[in-house]
Amino acid sequence: MSRTTSGNGNSKKGKSPVKRWFSFSGETGKFSSYNGSEVVEQDTLEGVLLDLRSCVGGWSDESNCKIWSNVIKSTKENIDVMVGTKKVLGGLFADIKPELEKIGAYYVQNLYLVTEVDGQPEICCLQVNRSSLASFSAFNEGKKLGELYSKKLVVSKGEQKKKGKVTYFVPKFELVDAEKSELDVADEKDHVLQAYFNPSQEQENEKEGAF
């Protein structure tokens, strides 16, 4: 579920409300995003979580282009994996998982949150995969439903690990108290996000509220 709803996100969508897409670098331990003109880095990322969703990402050396997919709420939903504009895989994640690595793809967890961009609260998304995803999964293990949404999420450079001859950093996740005003803004932003994921449900809500 998200902060305000448990919709599944299968409806046709309009323009994404996500202002910035963040990724974590295991090499530097920093977060990067594209601000419209250049890639910028920062040491920490903090904000109130709105929703958790999943997709597939990667890069195809053979086709020299990006691997991407639709965003799903649950792994029980169908996922369509694209290489550029061509669909190469489709079905439930569990069924296509063995084929993903073969084409250079991997599972991605999308953490939608409200964080400050140029001094204003904006909907952003931190995408974690592989070792970063493992860190988030370990952090989230055992937490009660909704616990992630009641506080502010702070992500920073965590411990350095080693695999073979390769050393890399993993992100560190923490929960800290949030101001009521921050949670109120997050609720407002989540309605915007869920309207994007579930436009048909938003239209029904508008009909029910019309007099």
Side-chain angles (χ1 to χ4, degrees), residues 130-161:
R130 296 172 172 166
S131 59
S132 296
L133 175 59
S135 294
F136 177 71
S137 297
F139 160 77
N140 195 30
E141 186 177 1
K143 287 185 170 54
K144 296 180 180 179
L145 186 64
E147 185 176 350
L148 290 174
Y149 301 113
S150 63
K151 294 189 175 184
K152 185 191 299 184
L153 184 66
V154 179
V155 196
S156 58
K157 181 171 69 175
E159 65 178 309
Q160 188 177 50
K161 295 191 174 185

Side-chain angles (χ1 to χ4, degrees), residues 106-125:
Y106 45 78
Y107 180 87
V108 178
Q109 179 82 74
N110 290 348
L111 283 69
Y112 295 93
L113 68 163
V114 174
T115 188
E116 281 199 5
V117 175
D118 298 328
Q120 298 295 322
E122 301 284 359
I123 299 172
C124 296
C125 181

Side-chain angles (χ1 to χ4, degrees), residues 52-105:
L52 296 173
R53 295 188 181 240
S54 308
C55 65
V56 165
W59 180 264
S60 171
D61 289 330
E62 181 180 350
S63 301
N64 193 34
C65 62
K66 184 179 179 180
I67 300 173
W68 59 281
S69 77
N70 57 311
V71 176
I72 57 174
K73 181 65 176 176
S74 166
T75 52
K76 295 181 180 180
E77 298 172 24
N78 285 327
I79 190 165
D80 295 323
V81 181
M82 312 290 290
V83 174
T85 59
K86 181 182 178 182
K87 178 180 175 180
V88 294
L89 290 171
L92 299 179
F93 181 79
D95 296 332
I96 65 173
K97 183 178 180 180
E99 302 299 319
L100 292 178
E101 187 174 346
K102 295 179 182 179
I103 65 171

